[in-house]
């Protein structure tokens, strides 16, 4: 076996041979010779991450080892019995299980001509098969076990004029949140340094307002923040509401890596959630960002009172864009008292897994981000999300106005499950560390401290 194969899965079946019932042969000298066992070494089946067809499997059969002093030779051994719940070789999904699933498994790369019916077929595949297919595609396009760590800072809190029914920062709702002025450039860069020292490779900055009209001073400061974050060797992402083409170009010139602008849900359900900004206005901002050469980060929120077909519609929106978003955040609604959705029912966990797995199959090259609501998931639930195709998280002290999984908690979880921080995917503007993130949290902290000493 090649120990360097990418995360192979090994199944060992141990057959037990029995010699039959007690022997009554007069020539038998074994007393008693009943049920002498002969165990084989094992039957080992090794499948790589690309295993889709039977021809991709390797089977290694080793000769049996006889256990015990003597074996009765007066009877032939019976058919081997496999003391396992698995009989025979593990097989991939059958071709007739789902045409759309097979198309996703065999696709050489991203495609933007998905139909809504195809995505619905994938989403409604039995969950066990759906997760298996998503994990297979994930290992074709991404390094298994590598998780992008992102930290999100609220650089302008509260006072937003929009009526997003899930948001604590809307001035229309009484949530107890006080509006604040925009954070200073120095305060933001200090927070970015802390995030980098704790393993984050992307630093995201969010401002609570509708758009950037008339905010020239704020845009100037945000560009300075972006330049500072990029100078640390980190990716920089912002979410600033609606922006026009010229503002997008200014952010691009400052070195912005990605712009987040979620579509939130399906086009059909969207008016039930927001009335002050149209679906097409969101798509127009995304188009301005894409045309400026900035990576698009766009996803949605689950648990807004929508149906499963709205999850399909959400994925259909981003899957049929001219190019897929670089990242697709999957948020589970964090219910906030005082908002219209403050008393809504939690989204069932299987719907989260289905959405992640479907997004992975339909958006094979996209980073699928396990975003808001992760703090309410058990460690085992998070692992199921990762094994279904999620490969990014938000980590740190806060996620805008809500609690976030702590860095130390995530470090311990990563160590237990063999996960590692993903390296930055983009060249930094200036950095002594280059664009390769060390492979462990200890190395990250040491490298950051060394860089600070060098700069001093």
């Amino acid at each position: 076996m090649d120990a360097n194969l990418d995360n192979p899965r090994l199944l060992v079946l141990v057959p037990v041979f029995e010699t039959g019932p007690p022997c009554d042969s007069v020539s038998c000298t074994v007393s008693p010779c009943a049920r002498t066992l002969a165990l084989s070494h094992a039957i080992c089946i090794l499948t790589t991450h690309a295993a889709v067809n039977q021809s991709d499997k390797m089977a290694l059969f080793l000769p049996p080892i006889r256990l015990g002093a003597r074996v009765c030779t007066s009877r032939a051994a019976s058919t081997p019995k496999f003391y396992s719940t698995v009989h025979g070789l593990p097989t991939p999904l059958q071709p007739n299980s789902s045409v759309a699933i097979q198309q996703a498994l065999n696709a050489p790369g991203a495609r933007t001509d998905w139909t809504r019916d195809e995505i619905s077929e994938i989403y409604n595949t039995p969950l066990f098969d759906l997760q298996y297919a998503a994990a297979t595609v994930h290992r074709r396009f991404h390094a298994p076990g590598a998780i992008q760590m992102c930290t999100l800072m609220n650089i302008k809190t509260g006072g937003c004029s929009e009526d997003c029914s899930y948001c604590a920062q809307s001035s229309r709702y009484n949530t107890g949140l006080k509006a604040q002025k925009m954070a200073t450039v120095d305060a933001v860069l200090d927070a970015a340094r802390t995030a980098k020292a704790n393993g984050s490779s992307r630093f995201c900055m969010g401002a609570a307002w509708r758009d950037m009209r008339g905010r020239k001073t704020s845009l100037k400061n945000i560009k300075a923040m972006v330049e500072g974050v990029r100078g640390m060797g980190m990716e920089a992402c912002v979410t600033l509401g609606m922006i026009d083409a010229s503002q997008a170009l200014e952010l691009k010139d400052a070195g912005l890596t990605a712009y987040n602008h979620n579509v939130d849900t399906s086009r059909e359900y969207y008016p039930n959630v927001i009335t002050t900004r149209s679906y097409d206005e969101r798509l127009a901002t995304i188009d301005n960002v894409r045309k400026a050469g900035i990576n698009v980060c766009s996803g949605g929120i689950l648990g807004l009172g929508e149906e499963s077909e709205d999850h399909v519609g959400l994925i259909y929106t981003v899957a049929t864009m001219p190019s897929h978003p670089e990242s697709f955040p999957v948020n589970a609604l964090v219910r906030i008292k005082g908002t219209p959705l403050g008393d809504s029912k939690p989204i069932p966990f299987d719907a989260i897994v289905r959405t992640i797995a479907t997004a992975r199959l339909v958006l094979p090259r996209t980073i699928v981000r396990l975003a808001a609501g992760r703090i309410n998931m058990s460690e085992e639930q998070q692992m199921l999300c990762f094994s279904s195709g999620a490969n990014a998280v938000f980590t740190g002290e806060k996620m805008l106005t809500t609690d976030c999984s702590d860095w130390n908690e995530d470090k311990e979880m990563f160590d237990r499950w063999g996960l590692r921080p993903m390296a930055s995917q983009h060249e930094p503007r200036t950095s002594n560390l280059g664009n390769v993130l060390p492979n462990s949290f200890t190395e990250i902290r040491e490298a950051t401290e060394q860089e600070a000493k060098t700069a001093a």
Side-chain angles (χ1 to χ4, degrees):
M1 274 180 281
D2 183 359
N4 294 319
L5 286 173
D6 291 337
N7 200 22
R9 299 187 304 124
L10 184 64
L11 175 66
V12 179
L13 304 181
V14 182
V16 179
F17 294 84
E18 294 186 357
T19 59
C23 180
D24 57 358
S25 170
V26 294
S27 61
C28 180
T29 60
V30 178
S31 180
C33 65
R35 303 191 180 278
T36 304
L37 301 181
L39 303 181
S40 78
H41 264 260
I43 301 175
C44 304
I45 298 97
L46 178 66
T47 61
T48 70
H49 66 281
V52 175
N53 300 315
Q54 287 285 351
S55 58
D56 291 322
K57 293 190 176 73
M58 287 185 354
L60 176 63
F61 296 88
L62 299 180
I65 296 177
R66 298 289 184 179
L67 300 182
R70 289 178 295 176
V71 177
C72 175
T73 58
S74 63
R75 292 183 182 271
S78 66
T79 302
K81 294 183 179 180
F82 291 87
Y83 289 83
S84 165
T85 58
V86 180
H87 296 272
L89 306 183
T91 58
L93 294 173
Q94 296 302 313
N96 60 358
S97 61
S98 166
V99 174
I101 284 279
Q102 290 300 320
Q103 290 175 341
L105 285 168
N106 296 325
R111 47 173 284 206
T112 59
D113 61 347
W114 289 99
T115 68
R116 189 161 181 153
D117 285 344
E118 287 173 330
I119 297 173
S120 180
E121 183 181 339
I122 291 173
Y123 183 92
N124 290 295
T125 297
L127 189 54
F128 201 70
D129 287 345
L130 177 61
Q131 189 276 336
Y132 176 89
T136 301
V137 169
H138 183 78
R139 282 158 177 75
R140 285 180 56 202
F141 293 95
H142 302 271
I147 307 294
Q148 185 186 60
M149 300 187 68
C150 318
T151 296
L152 174 58
M153 179 181 181
N154 214 6
I155 62 174
K156 165 63 179 71
T157 301
C160 182
S161 62
E162 300 269 44
D163 69 350
C164 306
S165 57
Y166 51 79
C167 187
Q169 303 197 71
S170 172
S171 60
R172 298 167 184 250
Y173 312 132
N174 183 19
T175 62
L177 187 72
K178 294 182 178 180
Q180 301 175 16
K181 294 181 178 179
M182 196 169 87
T184 66
V185 174
D186 287 343
V188 172
L189 296 185
D190 283 345
R193 291 186 189 95
T194 300
K196 180 182 177 181
N198 282 281
S200 293
S201 61
R202 176 179 286 206
F203 191 75
C204 307
M205 296 158 276
W209 52 50
R210 173 180 166 80
D211 53 39
M212 289 294 295
R213 287 181 299 177
R215 303 184 189 277
K216 292 184 178 180
T217 300
S218 294
L219 181 58
K220 180 181 177 181
N221 289 338
I222 291 169
K223 290 194 295 182
M225 295 171 189
V226 170
E227 291 170 352
V229 171
R230 298 291 282 120
M232 297 177 197
M234 302 178 75
E235 299 174 18
C237 177
V238 297
T239 177
L240 310 171
M242 293 184 289
I243 59 172
D244 59 31
S246 63
Q247 292 163 343
L249 288 171
E250 285 192 62
L251 291 169
K252 171 64 176 177
D253 290 341
L256 186 66
T257 307
Y259 193 96
N260 168 258
H261 203 61
N262 291 334
V263 294
D264 283 352
T265 186
S266 69
R267 178 182 285 276
E268 295 78 12
Y269 192 72
Y270 182 86
N272 296 289
V273 182
I274 302 162
T275 65
T276 52
R277 187 190 318 185
S278 72
Y279 209 71
D280 287 325
E281 284 178 316
R282 288 184 179 267
L283 296 178
T285 291
I286 291 171
D287 189 53
N288 291 334
V289 168
R290 182 185 295 108
K291 288 178 178 177
I294 301 170
N295 287 322
V296 172
C297 172
S298 186
I301 305 171
L302 310 184
L304 304 174
E306 76 283 358
E307 302 293 336
S308 60
E309 277 305 301
D310 295 304
H311 304 159
V312 171
L314 163 66
I315 297 172
Y316 174 73
T317 295
V318 298
T320 54
M321 289 177 175
S323 60
H324 290 172
E326 176 250 5
S327 62
F328 178 77
V330 177
N331 298 275
L333 176 68
V334 177
R335 294 167 293 165
I336 298 171
K337 292 293 184 182
T339 65
L341 290 172
D343 296 319
S344 59
K345 294 181 180 179
I347 185 73
F349 178 67
D350 68 290
I352 299 174
V353 178
R354 282 188 180 279
T355 302
I356 288 172
T358 303
R360 170 52 63 224
L361 286 161
V362 175
L363 312 169
R365 297 188 184 277
T366 295
I367 288 177
V368 178
R369 197 176 309 282
L370 188 57
R374 181 171 73 96
I375 193 171
N376 298 319
M377 296 181 188
S378 69
E379 193 167 296
E380 293 79 9
Q381 287 177 321
Q382 293 179 59
M383 289 306 116
L384 183 55
C385 290
F386 295 144
S387 67
S388 300
N391 58 343
V393 296
F394 283 107
T395 183
E397 298 168 353
K398 283 280 186 181
M399 186 179 169
L400 295 180
T401 63
T402 61
D403 291 335
C404 187
S405 298
D406 181 75
W407 284 302
N408 291 329
E409 181 181 338
D410 282 338
K411 291 173 188 178
E412 292 172 0
M413 179 179 70
F414 275 38
D415 287 343
R416 275 191 293 272
W417 293 87
L419 305 178
R420 64 186 184 280
M422 184 187 295
S424 173
Q425 304 298 299
H426 302 276
E427 291 283 350
R429 286 297 176 96
T430 57
S431 175
N432 294 330
L433 287 179
N435 71 323
V436 178
L437 197 66
N439 290 323
S440 71
F441 290 103
T442 301
E443 292 174 359
I444 291 168
R445 186 177 295 278
E446 291 175 350
T448 304
E449 292 174 350
Q450 181 59 45
E451 186 179 56
K453 291 178 182 178
T454 303

